[in-house]
Amino acid sequence: MHRFWTMAAAALVLALTFVAPARAGNIHTDVPQTLDPAAKYLIYLHGAWPETHPLTEPHATRGLFEYDKIFAALAGAGFEVISEHRKEKTNPRRFARERVTNQVEALVKGGVLASNITVVGYSKGGQIALLVDTFVPHSNLNLVSLAGCEKAPVRPNFDRFLANDAGRMQGRMLSVFDKSDKLAGSCREAAEKASRLTFEEVVIDVGEGHGAFYRPNPAWIDLVANWANPQPEKKG
């Protein structure tokens, strides 16, 4: 099932269904030794900028990447957040297979249902998240790509993914990108190759282009939190 929303439609759904979490989650740099099978776990993957620049150095056009504030906001939405600051020139495929996939498997082996695990990636982190979904053998993992699918005409990584990997995607996927983004756009082509994938896409309009995810803007934080932790429908 593939669905494509505009921000207006998504905002309406959020207004009707979003409920504040009972408690905030914790922040971890790796899978914690003690797991709560009832908790919601979220693995957050940042973009390329923090790999090569200090977090105190602002991007020339996007400003500071508010890494700590982002995963604090996600934890505040009720998730146990796992996030680490990647090293320079991290290979996306290797990191997806040898690091993030192993983290997902450690959570599952510790008693956490794959449906309670969400992998969220922004830009390069979004590309890593897409690859993770092709390695993890669980059909109900949650995946969120934030501006992770390159826009034509220059999109070598996305074209390579379409040709070699997209057909193996499965589970639930949410794609989010800003309307004014000149670097990233729709992940629809990848979703159309994946018959076992439930796909939803939302275009937000915060006017910050590729930098829309440099800060914990409620336009995407609330959207991700609500999608990854849907509230049960009331009977009657």
Side-chain angles (χ1 to χ4, degrees):
M1 178 175 63
H2 297 167
R3 294 192 291 185
F4 308 94
W5 297 349
T6 64
M7 185 55 194
L12 176 60
V13 172
L14 286 172
L16 292 174
T17 63
F18 186 76
V19 178
R23 64 171 184 83
N26 299 296
I27 298 169
H28 316 271
T29 57
D30 200 352
V31 175
Q33 291 185 345
T34 302
L35 298 176
D36 178 2
K40 300 281 186 175
Y41 286 84
L42 186 149
I43 300 173
Y44 174 77
L45 305 165
H46 62 71
W49 180 259
E51 286 188 11
T52 54
H53 299 81
L55 291 173
T56 54
E57 180 182 340
H59 186 278
T61 58
R62 301 168 197 154
L64 283 174
F65 181 71
E66 298 180 355
Y67 185 37
D68 292 352
K69 292 182 180 179
I70 288 171
F71 56 65
L74 292 168
F79 297 97
E80 294 293 317
V81 178
I82 300 169
S83 186
E84 65 179 287
H85 195 163
R86 296 191 307 273
K87 296 179 180 180
E88 185 175 354
K89 296 181 181 179
T90 294
N91 180 283
R93 181 175 294 273
R94 186 177 302 120
F95 192 81
R97 183 180 62 247
E98 299 178 2
R99 182 60 172 163
V100 186
T101 297
N102 287 340
Q103 290 177 325
V104 171
E105 289 303 301
L107 289 169
V108 172
K109 289 179 181 178
V112 181
L113 295 175
S115 57
N116 284 339
I117 303 171
T118 303
V119 179
V120 179
Y122 160 60
S123 193
K124 181 177 180 178
Q127 296 172 11
I128 294 171
L130 291 172
L131 288 165
V132 170
D133 194 50
T134 70
F135 294 129
V136 172
H138 302 293
S139 61
N140 50 355
L141 182 73
N142 303 304
L143 163 69
V144 179
S145 172
L146 305 173
C149 295
E150 295 166 314
K151 181 179 286 188
V154 182
R155 54 178 210 175
N157 295 317
F158 188 45
D159 283 337
R160 191 178 305 113
F161 180 79
L162 289 175
N164 301 321
D165 305 292
R168 299 196 306 275
M169 296 178 69
Q170 59 183 339
R172 296 175 68 231
M173 176 181 173
L174 172 66
S175 165
V176 188
F177 63 95
D178 188 74
K179 182 179 179 180
S180 60
D181 196 330
K182 291 180 170 50
L183 299 177
S186 177
C187 293
R188 182 186 308 214
E189 287 177 84
E192 290 175 344
K193 288 180 174 289
S195 61
R196 295 176 296 167
L197 184 72
T198 299
F199 179 73
E200 299 176 28
E201 185 163 90
V202 179
V203 183
I204 61 174
D205 188 7
V206 299
E208 295 186 37
H210 203 62
F213 306 98
Y214 262 50
R215 285 158 287 283
N217 192 317
W220 69 267
I221 289 285
D222 290 353
L223 177 64
V224 169
N226 186 69
W227 180 86
N229 187 21
Q231 301 299 316
E233 294 184 7
K234 294 181 179 180
K235 295 182 179 180

